[in-house]
Amino acid sequence: MKVQGVIFDMDGLMFDSEKLYYQANLAAAKQMKLDYSDDYYERFIGASDEDLMAFFREAFGSEAQVQEFMRLTYQAIDQAIHQGRLEKKPGLDELIAYLEQQQISKAIASSNFKTKISDFLTATQTASHFPTIISMDDVAKGKPAPDLFAAARAALGTPAAETLVLEDSLNGLLAAQAAGIPCIIVPDLIKPTVQMQAQALTIVPDLLAVRDFIRNNH
């Protein structure tokens, strides 16, 4: 396939941030003396904060507890960023350089909010490479709904069949499919499921392999 545009997920795809969120969730739950199962986190990788908070309202039984949990979580994330613990995923710089060399359009479509996306891009010195960013501030529904990816593709102005979504989660893959855009999975914390293997365009080990895939099919 000829690739004219690439849409990046952010958390777990561009940056090794999912483990930071997980650690922050654990720390917040411990501080508040709340039960926190690994399953809580895994089921919402790639989903929006609204979906996460709706689940925690039911699990924790109190809106005040949910708000405090999220406040402590983001406090820990901000601290991690300021301590330089947010790392780029292997191959990110090389993939960005290749796309720019080939004049292939790119965008970020993330379930995160604009302020947090900006913090991450600034901390990793990648902000100048992504003038097009679609966040939860811009759409009605997060992943697995198609809104984020559909809006990003519209902003790029590229045909769906000649656009790629790069994702690490099932929620993201389902969102890309719902938007009619081929999706490459680059696994992060969760091993690809049988469903992901069947529905993804391909599954590759890192972003360098994404560069090679585009190069070989461009």
mmCIF file of all heavy atoms in Angstrom, residues 144-167:
data_model
loop_
_atom_site.group_PDB
_atom_site.id
_atom_site.type_symbol
_atom_site.label_atom_id
_atom_site.label_comp_id
_atom_site.label_asym_id
_atom_site.label_seq_id
_atom_site.Cartn_x
_atom_site.Cartn_y
_atom_site.Cartn_z
ATOM 1 N N PRO A 144 -12.853 2.725 22.137
ATOM 2 C CA PRO A 144 -12.783 2.178 20.773
ATOM 3 C C PRO A 144 -13.690 2.837 19.735
ATOM 4 O O PRO A 144 -13.831 2.310 18.646
ATOM 5 C CB PRO A 144 -13.183 0.715 20.982
ATOM 6 C CG PRO A 144 -14.141 0.764 22.129
ATOM 7 C CD PRO A 144 -13.610 1.847 23.041
ATOM 8 N N ALA A 145 -14.339 3.946 20.064
ATOM 9 C CA ALA A 145 -15.091 4.693 19.049
ATOM 10 C C ALA A 145 -14.105 5.259 18.013
ATOM 11 O O ALA A 145 -12.939 5.492 18.331
ATOM 12 C CB ALA A 145 -15.888 5.817 19.698
ATOM 13 N N PRO A 146 -14.557 5.505 16.791
ATOM 14 C CA PRO A 146 -13.644 5.929 15.717
ATOM 15 C C PRO A 146 -13.302 7.409 15.724
ATOM 16 O O PRO A 146 -12.468 7.851 14.925
ATOM 17 C CB PRO A 146 -14.439 5.585 14.454
ATOM 18 C CG PRO A 146 -15.866 5.727 14.866
ATOM 19 C CD PRO A 146 -15.918 5.240 16.288
ATOM 20 N N ASP A 147 -13.895 8.196 16.614
ATOM 21 C CA ASP A 147 -13.846 9.655 16.533
ATOM 22 C C ASP A 147 -12.429 10.224 16.411
ATOM 23 O O ASP A 147 -12.159 11.093 15.569
ATOM 24 C CB ASP A 147 -14.527 10.275 17.761
ATOM 25 C CG ASP A 147 -15.976 9.852 17.924
ATOM 26 O OD1 ASP A 147 -16.302 8.711 17.540
ATOM 27 O OD2 ASP A 147 -16.766 10.635 18.465
ATOM 28 N N LEU A 148 -11.509 9.765 17.265
ATOM 29 C CA LEU A 148 -10.153 10.316 17.278
ATOM 30 C C LEU A 148 -9.441 10.099 15.947
ATOM 31 O O LEU A 148 -8.861 11.035 15.378
ATOM 32 C CB LEU A 148 -9.337 9.688 18.413
ATOM 33 C CG LEU A 148 -9.632 10.197 19.827
ATOM 34 C CD1 LEU A 148 -9.085 9.216 20.863
ATOM 35 C CD2 LEU A 148 -9.022 11.578 20.041
ATOM 36 N N PHE A 149 -9.501 8.884 15.450
ATOM 37 C CA PHE A 149 -8.791 8.565 14.213
ATOM 38 C C PHE A 149 -9.475 9.177 12.996
ATOM 39 O O PHE A 149 -8.808 9.602 12.046
ATOM 40 C CB PHE A 149 -8.632 7.056 14.056
ATOM 41 C CG PHE A 149 -7.703 6.455 15.067
ATOM 42 C CD1 PHE A 149 -8.002 5.241 15.665
ATOM 43 C CD2 PHE A 149 -6.535 7.096 15.434
ATOM 44 C CE1 PHE A 149 -7.152 4.677 16.601
ATOM 45 C CE2 PHE A 149 -5.671 6.544 16.371
ATOM 46 C CZ PHE A 149 -5.981 5.325 16.954
ATOM 47 N N ALA A 150 -10.802 9.218 13.011
ATOM 48 C CA ALA A 150 -11.522 9.849 11.894
ATOM 49 C C ALA A 150 -11.184 11.333 11.815
ATOM 50 O O ALA A 150 -10.957 11.882 10.726
ATOM 51 C CB ALA A 150 -13.023 9.646 12.070
ATOM 52 N N ALA A 151 -11.101 11.987 12.970
ATOM 53 C CA ALA A 151 -10.769 13.414 12.994
ATOM 54 C C ALA A 151 -9.325 13.646 12.558
ATOM 55 O O ALA A 151 -9.028 14.615 11.840
ATOM 56 C CB ALA A 151 -11.001 13.977 14.396
ATOM 57 N N ALA A 152 -8.426 12.777 12.981
ATOM 58 C CA ALA A 152 -7.015 12.916 12.592
ATOM 59 C C ALA A 152 -6.843 12.729 11.093
ATOM 60 O O ALA A 152 -6.110 13.479 10.438
ATOM 61 C CB ALA A 152 -6.155 11.913 13.356
ATOM 62 N N ARG A 153 -7.517 11.733 10.528
ATOM 63 C CA ARG A 153 -7.396 11.494 9.087
ATOM 64 C C ARG A 153 -7.973 12.678 8.312
ATOM 65 O O ARG A 153 -7.404 13.120 7.301
ATOM 66 C CB ARG A 153 -8.117 10.214 8.687
ATOM 67 C CG ARG A 153 -7.840 9.808 7.241
ATOM 68 C CD ARG A 153 -8.856 8.838 6.718
ATOM 69 N NE ARG A 153 -10.196 9.387 6.689
ATOM 70 C CZ ARG A 153 -10.635 10.250 5.779
ATOM 71 N NH1 ARG A 153 -9.837 10.698 4.834
ATOM 72 N NH2 ARG A 153 -11.874 10.691 5.841
ATOM 73 N N ALA A 154 -9.088 13.213 8.792
ATOM 74 C CA ALA A 154 -9.680 14.380 8.123
ATOM 75 C C ALA A 154 -8.728 15.572 8.177
ATOM 76 O O ALA A 154 -8.596 16.322 7.207
ATOM 77 C CB ALA A 154 -11.014 14.731 8.780
ATOM 78 N N ALA A 155 -8.045 15.732 9.304
ATOM 79 C CA ALA A 155 -7.094 16.839 9.445
ATOM 80 C C ALA A 155 -5.908 16.675 8.498
ATOM 81 O O ALA A 155 -5.403 17.651 7.931
ATOM 82 C CB ALA A 155 -6.615 16.930 10.892
ATOM 83 N N LEU A 156 -5.466 15.424 8.312
ATOM 84 C CA LEU A 156 -4.364 15.162 7.388
ATOM 85 C C LEU A 156 -4.811 15.296 5.936
ATOM 86 O O LEU A 156 -4.005 15.626 5.058
ATOM 87 C CB LEU A 156 -3.800 13.763 7.617
ATOM 88 C CG LEU A 156 -3.053 13.520 8.927
ATOM 89 C CD1 LEU A 156 -2.594 12.069 9.010
ATOM 90 C CD2 LEU A 156 -1.864 14.464 9.069
ATOM 91 N N GLY A 157 -6.079 14.986 5.673
ATOM 92 C CA GLY A 157 -6.590 15.056 4.313
ATOM 93 C C GLY A 157 -6.149 13.910 3.431
ATOM 94 O O GLY A 157 -6.141 14.031 2.199
ATOM 95 N N THR A 158 -5.798 12.788 4.043
ATOM 96 C CA THR A 158 -5.328 11.620 3.285
ATOM 97 C C THR A 158 -6.436 10.585 3.150
ATOM 98 O O THR A 158 -7.289 10.459 4.035
ATOM 99 C CB THR A 158 -4.120 10.982 3.994
ATOM 100 O OG1 THR A 158 -4.470 10.690 5.360
ATOM 101 C CG2 THR A 158 -2.932 11.925 3.986
ATOM 102 N N PRO A 159 -6.447 9.812 2.055
ATOM 103 C CA PRO A 159 -7.445 8.748 1.915
ATOM 104 C C PRO A 159 -7.263 7.692 3.008
ATOM 105 O O PRO A 159 -6.129 7.379 3.398
ATOM 106 C CB PRO A 159 -7.144 8.154 0.532
ATOM 107 C CG PRO A 159 -6.318 9.182 -0.168
ATOM 108 C CD PRO A 159 -5.548 9.890 0.891
ATOM 109 N N ALA A 160 -8.357 7.146 3.502
ATOM 110 C CA ALA A 160 -8.285 6.143 4.576
ATOM 111 C C ALA A 160 -7.418 4.959 4.178
ATOM 112 O O ALA A 160 -6.629 4.454 4.984
ATOM 113 C CB ALA A 160 -9.690 5.679 4.951
ATOM 114 N N ALA A 161 -7.547 4.516 2.929
ATOM 115 C CA ALA A 161 -6.805 3.343 2.458
ATOM 116 C C ALA A 161 -5.311 3.606 2.335
ATOM 117 O O ALA A 161 -4.519 2.659 2.249
ATOM 118 C CB ALA A 161 -7.364 2.872 1.121
ATOM 119 N N GLU A 162 -4.910 4.887 2.331
ATOM 120 C CA GLU A 162 -3.496 5.235 2.211
ATOM 121 C C GLU A 162 -2.978 5.897 3.498
ATOM 122 O O GLU A 162 -1.976 6.603 3.499
ATOM 123 C CB GLU A 162 -3.282 6.144 1.001
ATOM 124 C CG GLU A 162 -3.620 5.435 -0.306
ATOM 125 C CD GLU A 162 -3.430 6.312 -1.530
ATOM 126 O OE1 GLU A 162 -3.004 7.474 -1.385
ATOM 127 O OE2 GLU A 162 -3.707 5.828 -2.646
ATOM 128 N N THR A 163 -3.698 5.629 4.583
ATOM 129 C CA THR A 163 -3.322 6.127 5.900
ATOM 130 C C THR A 163 -3.077 4.939 6.819
ATOM 131 O O THR A 163 -3.723 3.908 6.677
ATOM 132 C CB THR A 163 -4.435 7.023 6.477
ATOM 133 O OG1 THR A 163 -4.746 8.066 5.543
ATOM 134 C CG2 THR A 163 -4.022 7.648 7.802
ATOM 135 N N LEU A 164 -2.137 5.072 7.724
ATOM 136 C CA LEU A 164 -1.861 4.033 8.709
ATOM 137 C C LEU A 164 -2.111 4.567 10.102
ATOM 138 O O LEU A 164 -1.729 5.697 10.420
ATOM 139 C CB LEU A 164 -0.399 3.580 8.640
ATOM 140 C CG LEU A 164 0.030 2.601 7.558
ATOM 141 C CD1 LEU A 164 1.537 2.353 7.684
ATOM 142 C CD2 LEU A 164 -0.731 1.290 7.679
ATOM 143 N N VAL A 165 -2.739 3.748 10.949
ATOM 144 C CA VAL A 165 -2.796 4.014 12.382
ATOM 145 C C VAL A 165 -1.765 3.124 13.060
ATOM 146 O O VAL A 165 -1.661 1.932 12.752
ATOM 147 C CB VAL A 165 -4.200 3.720 12.950
ATOM 148 C CG1 VAL A 165 -4.160 3.638 14.473
ATOM 149 C CG2 VAL A 165 -5.193 4.790 12.516
ATOM 150 N N LEU A 166 -0.999 3.700 13.967
ATOM 151 C CA LEU A 166 -0.035 2.940 14.770
ATOM 152 C C LEU A 166 -0.566 2.854 16.187
ATOM 153 O O LEU A 166 -0.798 3.883 16.832
ATOM 154 C CB LEU A 166 1.336 3.625 14.749
ATOM 155 C CG LEU A 166 1.917 3.954 13.380
ATOM 156 C CD1 LEU A 166 3.299 4.569 13.532
ATOM 157 C CD2 LEU A 166 1.980 2.707 12.497
ATOM 158 N N GLU A 167 -0.748 1.637 16.680
ATOM 159 C CA GLU A 167 -1.391 1.422 17.977
ATOM 160 C C GLU A 167 -0.699 0.314 18.753
ATOM 161 O O GLU A 167 0.033 -0.501 18.180
ATOM 162 C CB GLU A 167 -2.859 1.038 17.779
ATOM 163 C CG GLU A 167 -3.841 2.181 17.924
ATOM 164 C CD GLU A 167 -3.994 2.656 19.361
ATOM 165 O OE1 GLU A 167 -3.455 2.003 20.283
ATOM 166 O OE2 GLU A 167 -4.653 3.689 19.565
#
